[in-house]
């Protein structure tokens, strides 16, 4: 058994140490918001936060995430049932098209805004490197800029 801190809860998982964190989250914890995209850490559909930093969970073994680090999945962003500010910005600016990549993109954006409350387009492009096959990048940037302009940066913290 491995103890994990996922979305603020201590959870025990019975999985091999080399199992990718993505499959632990999806198959063992039944949190299916984190998506499998490519399996080689290129697309970002599997992005979760590990101690606030975006990581590609499809290549991170369980053993690398089990030392008391805080894991945040898309399911953990909302604390009271209301959308997280980044999720609300996505809704307000109609960012998703198919939506498959969006949980990873949202978590990457949360991490970006936690470290840089007023990012430029270049900073967004170089930090939120998730692939969106529908091409919603202009709406992603618009939502990030609107969010950065509208709220106190301390409200973005996951």
């Amino acid at each position: 058994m491995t103890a994990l801190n996922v979305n603020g809860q201590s959870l025990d998982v019975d999985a091999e140490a080399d199992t990718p964190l993505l499959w632990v989250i999806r198959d063992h914890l039944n949190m299916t918001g984190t998506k499998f995209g490519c399996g080689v850490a290129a697309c970002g559909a599997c992005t979760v936060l590990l101690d606030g930093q975006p990581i590609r969970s499809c290549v991170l073994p369980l053993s690398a995430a089990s030392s008391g680090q805080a894991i945040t999945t898309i399911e953990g962003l909302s604390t009271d049932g209301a959308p997280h500010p980044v999720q609300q910005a996505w809704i307000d600016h109609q960012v998703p098209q198919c939506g498959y990549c969006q949980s990873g993109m949202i978590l990457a954006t949360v991490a970006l805004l936690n470290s840089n409350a007023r990012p430029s387009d270049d900073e967004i492009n170089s930090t939120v490197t998730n692939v969106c096959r529908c091409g919603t990048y202009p709406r992603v940037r618009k939502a990030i800029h609107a969010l950065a302009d509208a709220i106190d940066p301390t409200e973005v913290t996951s």
Side-chain angles (χ1 to χ4, degrees):
M1 282 297 211
T2 301
L4 293 177
N5 175 355
V6 181
N7 300 329
Q9 295 183 322
S10 181
L11 302 171
D12 290 324
V13 175
D14 186 16
E16 296 295 324
D18 63 348
T19 304
L21 182 60
L22 169 66
W23 299 118
V24 171
I25 292 167
R26 290 185 58 82
D27 294 345
H28 295 269
L29 301 178
N30 297 314
M31 295 180 192
T32 58
T34 305
K35 305 297 185 199
F36 172 79
C38 66
V40 295
C43 74
C46 67
T47 300
V48 297
L49 302 181
L50 185 64
D51 285 341
Q53 297 303 308
I55 59 107
R56 307 287 167 97
S57 65
C58 69
V59 296
L60 187 79
L62 173 61
S63 61
S66 60
S67 60
Q69 297 162 306
I71 300 165
T72 304
T73 69
I74 193 72
E75 292 90 349
L77 283 186
S78 175
T79 55
D80 60 2
H84 181 277
V86 174
Q87 291 171 311
Q88 188 61 54
W90 254 234
I91 294 166
D92 293 345
H93 295 279
Q94 300 178 357
V95 171
Q97 188 167 334
C98 82
Y100 196 83
C101 66
Q102 296 305 310
S103 60
M105 185 103 50
I106 287 169
L107 288 162
T109 298
V110 168
L112 167 63
L113 292 174
N114 283 339
S115 66
N116 181 355
R118 304 275 188 258
S120 67
D121 282 344
D122 287 341
E123 291 166 327
I124 293 168
N125 294 344
S126 67
T127 306
V128 181
T129 59
N130 303 57
V131 174
C132 175
R133 288 169 179 87
C134 299
T136 64
Y137 305 111
R139 290 183 285 190
V140 166
R141 284 190 296 277
K142 184 177 178 182
I144 292 171
H145 288 305
L147 182 60
D149 291 343
I151 68 168
D152 180 335
T154 60
E155 292 180 30
V156 177
T157 304
S158 61

